């Protein structure tokens, strides 16, 4: 899958960005020879990913998760799609065979953590307002949160990201897989409006299907739109309220965890 | 929505990239490559950059943003094309096994700094 392409560090030669002989000979804009310009300026080649710092920490997280044999799932969606209920129900089905912990990101409140803790699962709540009200969880925030978890005793770490279909897609946190939750109370065209999110995720959950009889939502069109953006993407149609459709989703998740942990 | 964080990263990287022999130089321009698929709104980024760069060596610097098209290649039939709309199946064989050659960039290409040694440097 090409969803991981961007994680390859494009340009890791941080420190040598300003030596006198640039790597590339073919910059279309020219002027990368660091020679003075007539305008009284000098162009310095940099060639770095802006999110380099995040990617470096994400790789550290990924290495740690690999060492500890923990499968990490990054769950993303718009606000109100039913992430927390889906996770509550999922935990209820896979505990205690799969040893889980959850990191929950919200701008404010511990409501989600309080709900998820009821399952007995270790839950770490991150309120991003302490970090400037961020609209996503960055790799260093996850890295810091790991201090509160005993990774040795875990098979699955679920990260419930901040509700937002834009920004979280841009930030690698070191996860193994990303899943997007889309609910039928949102528009069918969400995948077309937020293609990056649907490209970056490996799997989609189409939630609240118990509401379909009461809505004008065209489920087939929604699935077609998802596949237009991400052909061959697995789409699990579920209701976190009635548990309809949960079996294939749980089988998928258990398979992923088993493949990573060997258990 | 995270453009402020990105602006701060740009300022940090650009400041680090000023060569030691030009320490104290002001950054006049930052050349940025932003893929069309990147979750960044250029106008919003410029706005945040203007605020965040105050009292830094980038104060007043211009953010030159080059938007990079989304170019895809089909792994099955090897066809290569530019994606204009959110449709990621091969336009030749309709297959879904494609890779993106560009469009996810969020890279600083270069910076332009003031240079007192330049032949016609202005004041």
């Amino acid at each position: 899958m090409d969803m991981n392409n961007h994680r390859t560090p494009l340009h890791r030669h941080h420190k040598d960005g300003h030596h006198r002989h640039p790597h590339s000979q073919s910059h279309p804009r020219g002027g990368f020879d660091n020679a003075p310009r007539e305008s009284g300026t000098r162009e310095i080649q940099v060639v770095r990913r802006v999110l380099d710092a995040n990617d470096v920490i994400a790789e550290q997280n990924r290495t740690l998760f690999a060492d500890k044999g923990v499968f990490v799932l990054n769950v993303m969606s718009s606000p109100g799609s039913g992430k927390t209920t889906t996770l509550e129900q999922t935990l209820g089905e896979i505990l205690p065979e799969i040893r889980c912990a959850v990191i929950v990101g919200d701008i404010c409140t511990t409501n989600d953590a309080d709900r998820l803790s009821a399952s007995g699962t270790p839950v770490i709540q991150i309120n991003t307002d302490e970090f400037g009200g961020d609209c996503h969880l960055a790799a260093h925030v996850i890295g810091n949160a790991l201090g509160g978890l005993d990774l040795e005793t875990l098979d699955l770490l679920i990260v419930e990201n901040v509700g937002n279909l834009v920004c979280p897609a841009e930030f690698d946190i070191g996860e193994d897989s990303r899943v997007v939750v889309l609910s039928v109370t949102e528009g069918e065209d969400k995948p077309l409006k937020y293609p990056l999110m649907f490209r970056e995720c490996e799997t989609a959950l189409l939630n609240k299907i118990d509401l379909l009889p009461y809505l004008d939502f065209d489920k087939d069109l929604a699935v077609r739109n998802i596949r237009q953006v991400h052909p061959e993407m697995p789409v699990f149609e579920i209701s976190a309220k009635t548990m309809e459709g949960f079996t294939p989703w749980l089988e998928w998740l258990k398979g992923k965890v088993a493949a990573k942990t060997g258990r | 929505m995270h453009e402020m964080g990105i602006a701060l990263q740009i300022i940090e990287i650009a400041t680090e990239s000023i060569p030691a022999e030009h320490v104290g130089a002001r950054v006049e321009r930052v050349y940025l490559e932003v893929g069309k698929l990147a979750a960044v709104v250029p106008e919003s980024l410029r706005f945040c950059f203007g605020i965040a760069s105050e009292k830094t060596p980038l104060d007043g610097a211009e953010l030159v943003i080059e938007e990079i098209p989304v170019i895809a290649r089909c792994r099955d039939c090897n066809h290569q094309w530019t994606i204009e709309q959110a449709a990621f199946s091969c336009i030749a064989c309709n297959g879904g096994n494609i890779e993106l050659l560009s469009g996810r960039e969020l890279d600083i290409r270069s910076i332009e700094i003031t240079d007192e040694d330049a032949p016609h440097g202005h004041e």
Side-chain angles (χ1 to χ4, degrees):
Chain A
M1 294 195 125
D2 58 4
M3 59 177 282
N4 291 322
N5 271 3
H6 73 285
R7 288 181 189 149
T8 309
L10 294 176
H11 313 292
R12 273 283 153 77
H13 39 213
H14 305 179
K15 302 298 179 195
D16 59 357
H18 43 70
H19 52 197
R20 297 260 166 196
H21 305 287
H23 310 267
S24 170
Q25 304 300 312
S26 60
H27 286 291
R29 221 180 277 107
F32 281 109
D33 53 1
N34 289 1
R37 300 177 141 199
E38 294 202 2
S39 60
T41 61
R42 182 184 291 263
E43 190 160 2
I44 309 293
Q45 189 189 20
V46 178
V47 195
R48 272 175 64 178
R49 271 181 57 80
V50 173
L51 300 179
D52 224 0
N54 185 75
D55 292 349
V56 167
I57 298 170
E59 274 316 307
Q60 290 169 0
N61 291 350
R62 187 166 282 118
T63 302
L64 181 64
F65 298 142
D67 286 349
K68 304 290 184 187
V70 182
F71 181 78
V72 181
L73 186 68
N74 184 0
V75 182
M76 299 181 277
S77 79
S78 49
S81 67
K83 279 190 302 299
T84 307
T85 308
T86 301
L87 293 180
E88 280 178 300
Q89 299 281 35
T90 299
L91 289 170
E93 293 296 308
I94 62 178
L95 291 167
E97 298 94 87
I98 296 178
R99 300 169 298 170
C100 304
V102 183
I103 295 176
V104 187
D106 281 299
I107 292 177
C108 294
T109 82
T110 59
N111 296 349
D112 288 359
D114 297 343
R115 285 169 57 189
L116 290 164
S117 297
S119 64
T121 311
V123 179
I124 293 185
Q125 172 83 53
I126 295 168
N127 282 134
T128 60
D129 60 356
E130 292 161 22
F131 304 89
D134 268 352
C135 45
H136 61 274
L137 293 176
H140 72 275
V141 176
I142 298 298
N144 292 343
L146 294 178
L149 292 172
D150 183 4
L151 293 176
E152 297 283 357
T153 63
L154 292 181
D155 304 312
L156 171 63
L157 174 61
I158 297 174
V159 177
E160 182 183 337
N161 219 311
V162 180
N164 179 341
L165 279 177
V166 184
C167 314
E170 194 71 79
F171 289 83
D172 185 3
I173 56 173
E175 71 276 58
D176 293 286
S177 185
R178 298 171 159 194
V179 57
V180 57
V181 183
L182 175 67
S183 63
V184 300
T185 50
E186 303 168 58
E188 298 96 340
D189 58 352
K190 284 287 182 292
L192 308 182
K193 286 182 172 169
Y194 304 96
L196 180 65
M197 177 59 77
F198 286 83
R199 288 290 308 165
E200 287 292 313
C201 287
E202 185 178 3
T203 313
L205 296 179
L206 187 58
N207 192 23
K208 306 190 188 179
I209 56 169
D210 54 299
L211 294 177
L212 281 172
Y214 313 105
L215 303 170
D216 292 328
F217 187 86
D218 184 341
K219 177 168 69 72
D220 294 336
L221 175 60
V223 173
R224 276 205 305 281
N225 286 341
I226 291 172
R227 299 252 164 80
Q228 180 179 322
V229 172
H230 192 153
E232 297 157 15
M233 188 184 208
V235 180
F236 297 109
E237 299 174 13
I238 61 164
S239 164
K241 186 179 174 71
T242 67
M243 302 289 286
E244 186 182 349
F246 256 61
T247 305
W249 151 243
L250 295 173
E251 289 307 311
W252 180 89
L253 181 58
K254 287 175 186 171
K256 286 282 178 183
V257 174
K260 177 82 181 275
T261 62
R263 287 187 286 268
Chain B
M1 276 177 269
H2 55 290
E3 276 80 359
M4 183 53 89
I6 288 173
L8 292 169
Q9 287 291 316
I10 290 170
I11 292 161
E12 186 177 325
I13 293 172
T15 306
E16 278 173 28
S17 302
I18 299 171
E21 65 268 31
H22 294 283
V23 74
R26 280 193 310 119
V27 177
E28 298 273 351
R29 270 173 213 87
V30 178
Y31 291 97
L32 200 64
E33 291 183 341
V34 178
K36 290 242 188 197
L37 207 51
V40 173
V41 180
E43 273 324 296
S44 175
L45 181 57
R46 281 204 182 87
F47 177 76
C48 293
F49 178 79
I51 295 168
S53 61
E54 284 176 14
K55 297 179 182 149
T56 76
L58 287 86
D59 199 342
E62 180 188 359
L63 203 53
V64 182
I65 298 176
E66 184 186 353
E67 285 199 284
I68 307 295
V70 183
I71 297 176
R73 188 184 74 85
C74 176
R75 290 199 182 96
D76 294 332
C77 76
N78 214 25
H79 185 70
Q80 192 171 312
W81 77 104
T82 301
I83 294 181
E84 305 282 359
Q85 263 142 26
F88 292 80
S89 294
C90 177
I91 57 168
C93 74
N94 207 29
N97 188 13
I98 68 164
E99 67 173 319
L100 296 186
L101 304 179
S102 70
R104 285 289 279 110
E105 294 78 3
L106 186 51
D107 302 334
I108 298 185
R109 284 273 297 269
S110 66
I111 58 172
E112 209 174 302
I113 60 169
T114 51
D115 184 1
E116 280 88 43
D117 303 335
H120 305 288
H122 45 217
E123 295 302 310

